[in-house]
Amino acid sequence: MKKTIDLSEVQKTIQEEPTVVVAISTPDCSVCHAVMPKLEQLLTHYSFSAYHLDAFETPEVAGTFQALTAPVILLFHRGKEVERQARFIRFEELTKRLDQLSLSGDQVSYDTLFE
């Protein structure tokens, strides 16, 4: 997972790459400190682009992604948000969605994800 302050790079990647994971945290968030290492470990099993943004370093990230709390994990597929988890991260559900996207590659459609 790439830590960045460049919001435009993240937005560009969301539009260009098939699947992108975005994690938003804050420095004083104890939940974030517990979740981010687990997320990084989980993402080692996938080849998706992944970004970590600190809402303190890049304040506009909160408004851009409508992140009202931390941590927030967003999953984008073909430029559209397909998964959002905030504060209490359900890693089983996140893993299931990542597996679904990984196994199907570009073949899965946005509508199929919600059947």
Side-chain angles (χ1 to χ4, degrees), residues 34-55:
V35 165
M36 289 304 149
K38 287 179 76 173
L39 179 61
E40 285 189 35
Q41 177 60 32
L42 174 64
L43 291 174
T44 62
H45 302 287
Y46 304 95
S47 60
F48 303 132
S49 295
Y51 291 94
H52 176 207
L53 292 153
D54 184 319

